[in-house]
């Protein structure tokens, strides 16, 4: 290409990230910067996903600083979600919670990133608290939320909470065509000895 703009770079970076080549994606990000091309919100989201997948947290923290300085965090919710997800995947749950708390809009994706991080790093009680708070704030859980929270209930042996979630999923008709949810429900009951 004669003209390599931010859209071309971002498309290439995103392709690398989506095919599991996080290191190469971050190398392209560096090369893009060396050519004087400034990243946009989509570029940052892809690069933060790469950082989370390969645990390149120092690079992610550097990007976080750039994002805050440019004001993108306040203007683009997907960047905030990507930051929460990156920190949660790395087990930096306090940092993930801090970013989450500062998000102008907390949607199901940001809640899921936080809840899955808590479950992944064995903070099931915090995951259940987040789930409860999410619903109190009027955010409807999706299939990802339910898979995570069922895993938390199973790990805690919280059969009663699991039964409550099972009833909610049934009311919403989520179990009829979702094998992953059904398997998560079976796993939760098995772990609870039921």
């Amino acid at each position: 290409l004669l003209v390599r703009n931010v859209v071309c770079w971002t498309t290439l970076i995103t392709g690398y990230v989506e095919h599991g080549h996080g290191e190469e994606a971050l190398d392209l990000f560096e090369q893009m910067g060396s050519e004087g091309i400034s990243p946009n919100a989509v570029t940052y989201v892809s690069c933060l996903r790469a950082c989370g997948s390969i645990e390149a947290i120092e690079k992610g923290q550097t990007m976080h600083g750039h994002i805050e300085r440019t004001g993108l965090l306040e203007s683009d919710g997907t960047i905030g979600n990507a930051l929460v997800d990156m920190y949660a995947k790395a087990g930096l749950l306090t940092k993930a919670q801090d970013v989450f708390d500062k998000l102008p809009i907390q949607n199901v994706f940001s809640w899921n990133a936080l809840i899955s991080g808590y479950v992944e790093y064995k903070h099931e009680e915090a995951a259940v608290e987040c789930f409860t708070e999410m619903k109190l704030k009027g955010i409807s859980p999706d299939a990802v939320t339910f898979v995570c929270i069922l895993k938390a209930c199973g790990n805690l042996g919280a059969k009663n909470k699991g039964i409550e979630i099972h009833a909610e999923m049934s009311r919403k008709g989520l179990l009829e065509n979702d094998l992953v949810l059904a398997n998560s429900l079976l796993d939760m009951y098995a772990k609870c000895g039921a």
Side-chain angles (χ1 to χ4, degrees):
L1 287 173
L2 296 174
V3 178
R4 299 197 299 193
N5 60 19
V6 68
V7 174
C8 296
W9 279 106
T10 300
T11 301
L12 188 59
I13 289 167
T14 301
Y16 273 92
V17 173
E18 287 180 0
H19 289 91
H21 301 285
E23 193 71 50
E24 292 88 342
L26 294 176
D27 290 343
L28 288 169
F29 178 76
E30 296 294 328
Q31 189 178 345
M32 179 181 109
S34 70
E35 290 189 13
I37 308 292
S38 296
N40 63 20
V42 179
T43 316
Y44 278 124
V45 168
S46 290
C47 289
L48 290 169
R49 283 181 50 213
C51 290
S53 69
I54 63 169
E55 296 185 11
I57 300 309
E58 284 184 28
K59 286 185 181 182
Q61 288 174 318
T62 301
M63 283 183 212
H64 185 178
H66 290 295
I67 290 164
E68 284 193 337
R69 283 191 293 281
T70 58
L72 282 171
L73 193 55
E74 290 78 32
S75 64
D76 192 299
T78 57
I79 291 178
N81 294 344
L83 278 167
V84 172
D85 187 57
M86 178 197 69
Y87 286 124
K89 282 182 177 163
L92 300 172
L93 301 173
T94 302
K95 189 70 175 165
Q97 183 73 57
D98 288 344
V99 172
F100 177 86
D101 290 340
K102 293 174 185 169
L103 293 178
I105 296 173
Q106 298 162 338
N107 60 24
V108 70
F109 303 107
S110 44
W111 283 100
N112 285 347
L114 193 60
I115 289 168
S116 68
Y118 280 129
V119 173
E120 182 67 27
Y121 287 93
K122 308 292 184 222
H123 295 274
E124 288 87 356
E125 294 91 353
V128 173
E129 286 174 24
C130 281
F131 177 74
T132 303
E133 186 179 345
M134 171 187 179
K135 289 175 43 180
L136 286 173
K137 291 192 175 187
I139 307 295
S140 293
D142 65 8
V144 173
T145 319
F146 284 120
V147 167
C148 291
I149 208 63
L150 286 169
K151 183 175 182 182
C153 289
N155 291 346
L156 288 169
K159 184 176 81 171
N160 289 340
K161 184 69 174 175
I163 291 169
E164 177 186 313
I165 292 165
H166 182 181
E168 182 178 351
M169 290 171 22
S170 294
R171 278 192 308 276
K172 292 182 175 190
L174 296 175
L175 293 171
E176 294 160 13
N177 297 315
D178 195 321
L179 191 58
V180 174
L181 274 178
N183 286 338
S184 296
L185 191 60
L186 289 170
D187 185 61
M188 181 276 297
Y189 280 124
K191 285 181 178 172
C192 290

